Amino acid sequence: MRQPDEVVAMLRGRFSASYADWARGKGTWPMRISLRPPGTAERSASPVECHAWAADWASYAGPGVLEHANLQFSTGTHAMPKTLVLQRPGDVARAHQDDLDTWLRCGTRLTQLESAFPGARFAGQVRRITDLAQADYDRLVRAVAWLIANPTSGMLLRQLPIEGIDTKWLAKHSTLVLALLGDENAHQEADELPLSKKRKLHQRLGLRVVPELVQVTVLDPALSAQFAGMRHFAATVEDLNRWPRQPATVLILENKETAFAITDEFEGTVVLHGHGFHVDQYARISWVSSAERVLYWGDIDAPGLQFVSDLRGLGVDVRTVLMDVETLHRFRRLAVEGTLPQRTTTPPHLTTAELELYELLAAHAADHGSGLLLEQERLLWQDVYPILTESLTG
């Protein structure tokens, strides 16, 4: 025999799990909840408890309509509650004030958005729209309305005349913005590189992206002469593509500190460094793809190998340095806890040796619940610099 509070808890669970679908017209109605009325054995052994249960339901003040069944007791036939029937989602929501507030807010917002943005696509977004704080919801409406009215503004994000809209806000709410604009593929690919996401999003919104600066170290004095002898500087991809003299060897470093540790000169060599998660920037530099030799040295961890795979996937024929099982074993004492693999699939563009390292790291993460990280700057310089030098000159 289900008690009223038990059924109310059940209704709350169903509402939480399904209200977003109900708001889009899904679900089967009416909803019928069996109250599990007492069986023959219960009516015979515990008639007082059965009637007390029925009395509890008689005082039930929650949503729905009770259906009864005439059941036989030793004292005769008595009507017992059998089923609670709820005709529509709003009835389920009335089981608790918080759920009713959620349902009303959901309905109000969807009605407003459907009216304001007829081309909007709400699949998978109803719950997020409903859960938005009122200030964020208001910003969302203002942002989408402005973007529809100004589809090719060419403005920077911070130039938009919308209070409260900045880079972090847009990154957090981009899926909702795209859905209200009617994009069929509002959900971005999980494995897409962060900077690619940002660039594509701004392009879709008709906005201009603030140029990302690439950190550069020029190891060849003949090359640095075209930059007034500067060895270290930062420039946009567009500026780097205008170089009159271009390097034959490109060394990409995940962390910028390592670049400053290289003090020797190497003919025809340039170091690009410090971009980590934004490795797609490097692939946009024309002379990186056309260089005679491209080397990559990054941290020994799952993300580092994902960066390597990303570069190759973007068309850069890169060779890794000091990123193998032998290096990990040699300096294992210097490794620390790192992040777990960020993607669910194995990077597709790894060599056999790199794949062996990745599988070792993935196995460690599975066994310990945390990643393994050997940062390149932790490696003993006197041990690794000769290996790096050989890779640059060999």
Side-chain angles (χ1 to χ4, degrees):
M1 294 182 289
R2 282 176 169 159
Q3 300 297 327
D5 57 351
E6 180 184 356
V7 172
V8 167
M10 182 185 302
L11 292 176
R12 295 209 67 193
R14 292 195 182 185
F15 177 84
S16 177
S18 303
Y19 84 82
D21 290 333
W22 298 344
R24 304 301 298 152
K26 299 179 180 179
T28 302
W29 302 95
M31 178 186 292
R32 304 177 65 85
I33 305 293
S34 172
L35 304 183
R36 295 181 181 173
T40 302
E42 288 176 294
R43 298 197 300 271
S44 176
S46 307
V48 174
E49 286 80 357
C50 292
H51 284 284
W53 172 77
D56 288 339
W57 275 108
S59 61
Y60 170 72
V65 176
L66 288 171
E67 291 183 348
H68 293 77
N70 292 322
L71 302 180
Q72 186 66 41
F73 285 80
S74 60
T75 56
T77 300
H78 298 275
M80 291 279 121
K82 176 186 178 182
T83 307
L84 181 65
V85 182
L86 302 109
Q87 295 294 333
R88 56 190 65 83
D91 293 341
V92 181
R94 288 183 177 86
H96 194 279
Q97 185 61 48
D98 288 348
D99 294 342
L100 181 58
D101 292 343
T102 296
W103 182 247
L104 294 175
R105 183 170 64 256
C106 176
T108 299
R109 289 182 175 182
L110 290 184
T111 300
Q112 291 174 343
L113 295 175
E114 287 173 340
S115 175
F117 313 118
R121 297 178 178 273
F122 295 98
Q125 305 301 327
V126 173
R127 193 177 298 271
R128 288 193 63 195
I129 290 170
T130 305
D131 290 343
L132 279 178
Q134 187 61 42
D136 281 325
Y137 173 75
D138 293 339
R139 290 188 188 101
L140 176 67
V141 173
R142 291 197 300 269
V144 174
W146 192 92
L147 290 166
I148 289 176
N150 303 273
T152 57
S153 70
M155 298 173 69
L156 295 173
L157 181 60
R158 291 190 179 276
Q159 291 179 295
L160 300 187
I162 308 170
E163 184 178 348
I165 301 298
D166 57 19
T167 302
K168 291 183 179 179
W169 187 94
L170 183 59
K172 183 177 180 180
H173 300 91
S174 60
T175 301
L176 286 176
V177 171
L178 292 173
L180 295 187
L181 288 173
D183 279 31
E184 295 185 7
N185 299 313
H187 294 282
Q188 297 169 334
E189 295 296 327
D191 286 352
E192 190 175 11
L193 296 173
L195 203 58
S196 293
K197 291 181 183 179
K198 179 180 177 180
R199 195 178 296 115
K200 287 182 179 179
L201 175 62
H202 281 63
Q203 182 178 19
R204 168 63 183 87
L205 301 182
L207 303 176
R208 185 159 51 97
V209 181
V210 176
E212 296 280 345
L213 298 180
V214 179
Q215 298 292 325
V216 182
T217 297
V218 183
L219 303 184
D220 183 349
L223 289 176
S224 64
Q226 60 187 329
F227 311 110
M230 288 190 296
R231 183 180 177 90
H232 305 286
F233 58 90
T236 65
V237 169
E238 290 73 20
D239 287 340
L240 293 176
N241 283 334
R242 297 190 184 100
W243 282 18
R245 295 185 59 189
Q246 300 178 353
T249 298
V250 177
L251 171 63
I252 299 175
L253 299 174
E254 182 178 341
N255 302 301
K256 63 182 181 181
E257 289 83 358
T258 307
F260 295 102
I262 303 175
T263 56
D264 293 326
E265 297 175 351
F266 294 88
E267 183 179 356
T269 301
V270 166
V271 179
L272 305 176
H273 56 97
H275 254 260
F277 286 97
H278 296 168
V279 292
D280 55 329
Q281 283 285 74
Y282 300 137
R284 297 176 56 229
I285 302 172
S286 58
W287 43 262
V288 170
S289 298
S290 62
E292 297 176 10
R293 174 171 45 193
V294 181
L295 305 175
Y296 184 95
W297 179 22
D299 296 337
I300 290 184
D301 64 350
L305 290 168
Q306 288 165 345
F307 300 159
V308 173
S309 179
D310 290 339
L311 274 172
R312 292 189 181 126
L314 292 167
V316 179
D317 185 17
V318 62
R319 177 166 62 88
T320 55
V321 180
L322 294 163
M323 295 182 70
D324 50 36
V325 173
E326 180 183 354
T327 301
L328 175 60
H329 288 329
R330 182 181 179 186
F331 298 101
R332 179 65 176 81
R333 67 189 184 281
L334 302 175
V336 296
E337 182 177 308
T339 60
L340 293 168
Q342 299 166 323
R343 306 173 194 176
T344 57
T345 58
T346 300
H349 306 295
L350 298 180
T351 65
T352 301
E354 293 160 357
L355 184 59
E356 180 186 4
L357 176 59
Y358 185 87
E359 291 175 344
L360 187 154
L361 295 169
H364 180 278
D367 292 341
H368 297 84
S370 63
L372 187 64
L373 169 63
L374 180 57
E375 296 174 305
Q376 62 179 188
E377 58 261 47
R378 286 179 174 266
L379 304 186
L380 299 180
W381 192 246
Q382 65 268 26
D383 292 333
V384 299
Y385 188 59
I387 298 174
L388 178 62
T389 298
E390 182 179 354
S391 298
L392 290 172
T393 59

